[in-house]
């Protein structure tokens, strides 16, 4: 039967997923696949979590929808209280939408409105980083530095975004850690000067870079240095933790490991764990106060913002993370995952780097370990690994363009926070089997 869905790939229909339990997904043919990355680091509790399902069912029975122009709802209030009731890092208000991209749009708009409210209307530009991804809606894509995803739409992206280098030590570090961080801070500062510091509203960065670079953490001192540049020029720090946040890296917020707090934090995937579509922003008290003391309104909104069932699901996911002590498991299993990658790939001639934090780990593949030269993109190494892993019963997240948006390959592993060591070992065995099988078929350099 030909599908009537406009699938991502219009030449091959995907398998039909029919059920999921724990780390396992099952398709319509009965085939079982281990969910080793939760899609793009989404399924943080795995599948079929009974507490989350019960919470969603209870909310459906009570109230499915009430428009936010007149009503708030109990699960949204409880979720916000849980996330920012204790003002983590000075973040005091939460705003819930339906995806990471929508959340990024909200962050950009809140930053822009903040400067209107405080009488700095010239601030309309955003500096983001190359080799980044902030979403696929036009604003979020404009902020993104992902070359391949931007390319078809470059002509319709706003001209208020510019990009500086990410902190990508494996490929771009010259000199000591301190020298490299100082160089990146100087580059950001120079970009402010080029644009006119009074025209810049914010600097956007993924706290740990996700799909585009593959689990790249910043060097110690990098984010404080970037924060200092933003502060010097009066711009906001917007941290995108859509992938890396809500526990994925072993702390609830990835910035907890960086020695900075953002002015606006963007969250999504681990917030609802895929049980419902939900994203959000957490905003600093001073940003919210400017709107409160000014127009009194956040001039933005969506029909489905703070959706009751989405918020009930996210609340239950966050309660499970807390009550099942899953951050501790993420840290312990993160070490297990990282060690397992090193055991299987540490000496492999085509694995140049193994990196990440918590249950967010990746390998970067290279044609030559000494020169770090990537494979020819025509070999489609990452795509072939994705298929080979799937054929062996593992869903993982390989991606290309690691070096410069066009060349380079990496594979992300992002298993559920409640994974066991045995499950992670099984995923690693399948990944190693698939990767080695693909690499063996490549032409010798
Ligand atoms: N920001 C980051 C860091 C992401 O990884 C993604 C998605 O992968 C997004 C934003 C966009 O989120 P969504 O796909 O839910 O719109």
């Amino acid at each position: 039967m030909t599908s009537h869905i406009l699938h991502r790939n219009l030449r091959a229909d995907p398998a039909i997923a029919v059920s999921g339990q724990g780390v396992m997904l099952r398709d319509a043919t009965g085939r079982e696949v281990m969910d080793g990355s939760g899609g793009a680091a989404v399924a943080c509790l795995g599948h079929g979590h009974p507490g989350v399902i019960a919470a969603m069912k209870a909310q459906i029975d009570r109230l499915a929808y009430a428009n936010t122009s007149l009503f708030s709802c109990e699960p949204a209030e409880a979720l916000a209280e849980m996330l920012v009731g204790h003002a983590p890092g000075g973040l005091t208000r939460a705003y819930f939408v339906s995806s990471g991209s929508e959340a990024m749009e909200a962050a950009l708009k809140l930053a822009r409105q903040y400067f209107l409210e405080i009488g700095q209307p010239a601030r309309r530009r955003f500096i983001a980083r190359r080799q980044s991804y902030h979403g696929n809606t036009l604003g979020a894509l404009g902020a993104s530095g992902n070359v391949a995803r931007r390319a078809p739409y470059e002509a319709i992206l706003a001209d208020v975004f510019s990009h500086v280098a990410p902190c990508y030590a494996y490929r771009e570090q010259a000199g000591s850690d301190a020298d490299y961080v100082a160089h990146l801070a100087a580059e950001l500062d120079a970009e402010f000067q080029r644009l006119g510091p009074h025209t810049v509203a914010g600097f956007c960065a993924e706290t740990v870079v996700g799909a585009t670079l593959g689990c790249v953490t910043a060097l110690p001192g990098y984010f404080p240095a970037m924060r200092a540049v933003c502060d010097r020029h009066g711009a906001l720090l917007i941290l995108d933790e859509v992938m890396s946040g809500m526990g994925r890296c072993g702390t609830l917020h990835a910035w907890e490991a960086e020695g900075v707090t953002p002015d606006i934090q963007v969250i999504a995937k681990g917030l609802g764990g895929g049980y419902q579509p939900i994203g959000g922003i957490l905003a600093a008290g001073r940003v919210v106060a400017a709107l409160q003391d000014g127009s009194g309104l956040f001039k933005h909104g969506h029909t489905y913002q703070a959706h009751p069932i989405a918020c009930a699901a996210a609340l239950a996911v966050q309660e499970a993370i807390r009550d099942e002590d899953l951050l501790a498991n993420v840290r312990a299993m993160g070490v297990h995952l990282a060690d397992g990658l090193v055991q299987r790939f540490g000496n492999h001639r085509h694995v140049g780097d193994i990196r990440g934090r918590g249950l967010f780990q990746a390998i970067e593949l290279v044609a030559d370990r000494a020169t770090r030269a990537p494979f020819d993109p025509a070999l489609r190494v990452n795509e072939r690994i994705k298929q080979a892993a799937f054929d062996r019963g593992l869903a993982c997240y390989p991606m290309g363009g690691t070096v410069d948006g066009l060349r380079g390959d990496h594979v992300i592993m992002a298993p559920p926070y409640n994974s066991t060591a045995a499950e992670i070992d099984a995923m690693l065995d399948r990944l190693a089997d698939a990767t080695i099988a693909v690499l063996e078929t490549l032409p010798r350099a």
Side-chain angles (χ1 to χ4, degrees):
M1 190 188 77
T2 305
S3 174
H4 294 284
I5 292 186
L6 192 106
H7 286 298
R8 289 175 187 235
N9 181 350
L10 292 175
R11 299 217 173 115
D13 290 345
I16 304 284
V18 291
S19 63
Q21 196 56 49
V23 296
M24 283 299 186
L25 285 168
R26 185 188 288 259
D27 77 9
T29 68
R31 210 168 83 85
E32 291 204 318
V33 176
M34 297 192 89
D35 197 358
S37 66
V42 177
C44 62
L45 295 185
H47 303 277
H49 190 285
V52 181
I53 291 169
M56 285 163 56
K57 285 181 177 165
Q59 186 58 41
I60 291 170
D61 287 340
R62 295 188 69 192
L63 174 73
Y65 179 74
N67 191 273
T68 49
S69 67
L70 285 174
F71 295 103
S72 184
C73 66
E74 289 168 342
E77 295 292 338
L79 181 60
E81 158 68 24
M82 187 176 184
L83 294 178
V84 291
H86 56 301
L91 300 165
T92 61
R93 293 282 181 132
Y95 182 83
F96 300 116
V97 290
S98 306
S99 68
S101 299
E102 279 185 25
M104 191 65 200
E105 299 289 333
L108 298 172
K109 283 196 168 176
L110 181 60
R112 168 65 184 157
Q113 196 188 330
Y114 166 73
F115 285 111
L116 291 178
E117 300 279 3
I118 65 168
Q120 298 186 27
R123 290 194 188 262
R124 63 186 193 94
R125 299 188 185 282
F126 293 88
I127 304 174
R129 304 189 302 177
R130 292 192 286 279
Q131 294 294 84
S132 63
Y133 183 58
H134 297 293
N136 253 338
T137 51
L138 291 179
L141 188 60
S144 302
N146 186 306
V147 174
R149 292 180 189 176
R150 287 176 65 94
Y153 307 107
E154 200 72 56
I156 57 170
L157 298 178
D159 65 358
V160 298
F161 301 101
S162 63
H163 298 89
V164 293
C167 186
Y168 183 18
Y170 173 62
R171 287 197 177 274
E172 298 181 0
Q173 177 167 0
S176 68
D177 288 5
D179 287 349
Y180 183 42
V181 167
H183 165 79
L184 293 170
E187 183 186 344
L188 180 62
D189 193 74
E191 186 61 8
F192 270 94
Q193 302 297 350
R194 185 183 76 82
L195 297 170
H198 63 291
T199 70
V200 180
F203 170 59
C204 310
E206 291 167 82
T207 316
V208 178
V209 185
T212 316
L213 284 183
C215 304
V216 169
T217 55
L219 287 181
Y222 168 81
F223 275 108
M226 299 295 120
R227 167 97 247 180
V229 175
C230 292
D231 289 349
R232 191 155 63 242
H233 296 302
L236 300 182
L237 175 64
I238 300 172
L239 289 184
D240 180 345
E241 300 206 349
V242 165
M243 254 184 140
S244 59
M246 304 317 298
R248 173 57 59 195
C249 294
T251 50
L252 191 61
H253 308 300
W255 52 256
E256 289 173 50
E258 301 296 345
V260 293
T261 59
D263 296 301
I264 304 176
Q265 178 182 351
V266 187
I267 54 178
K269 299 174 193 281
L271 177 61
Y275 285 88
Q276 284 284 285
I278 184 166
I281 56 172
L282 309 180
R286 74 177 171 110
V287 173
V288 177
L291 275 64
Q292 223 162 12
D293 300 344
S295 67
L297 301 170
F298 181 25
K299 295 173 184 167
H300 184 54
H302 292 282
T303 301
Y304 298 122
Q305 75 186 61
H307 191 277
I309 299 167
C311 290
L315 179 62
V317 169
Q318 297 311 309
E319 286 171 347
I321 292 172
R322 180 193 62 199
D323 298 343
E324 296 171 27
D325 200 15
L326 292 182
L327 295 182
N329 199 56
V330 171
R331 290 193 287 271
M333 287 302 108
V335 171
H336 188 79
L337 175 61
D339 287 350
L341 287 169
V342 170
Q343 274 163 23
R344 288 163 181 83
F345 297 108
N347 288 323
H348 197 286
R349 60 196 283 261
H350 290 309
V351 176
D353 195 25
I354 300 172
R355 61 199 176 215
R357 187 177 291 152
L359 284 176
F360 196 42
Q361 303 280 337
I363 54 173
E364 181 169 338
L365 299 148
V366 288
D368 183 326
R369 246 167 102 132
T371 63
R372 302 181 183 187
F375 284 111
D376 179 350
L379 294 172
R380 298 173 25 258
V381 170
N382 66 88
E383 286 173 48
R384 289 163 69 176
I385 292 175
K386 184 175 182 176
Q387 188 58 50
F390 197 60
D391 292 345
R392 288 162 176 77
L394 175 71
C396 56
Y397 192 9
M399 188 55 66
T402 322
V403 179
D404 53 9
L406 302 170
R407 299 170 307 139
D409 303 271
H410 63 260
V411 183
I412 294 177
M413 291 296 289
Y417 301 174
N418 47 10
S419 302
T420 64
E423 287 167 338
I424 288 176
D425 289 343
M427 290 175 192
L428 285 167
D429 287 344
R430 292 174 196 202
L431 177 66
D433 194 25
T435 305
I436 289 162
V438 168
L439 294 176
E440 274 172 3
T441 64
L442 297 178
R444 292 267 158 203

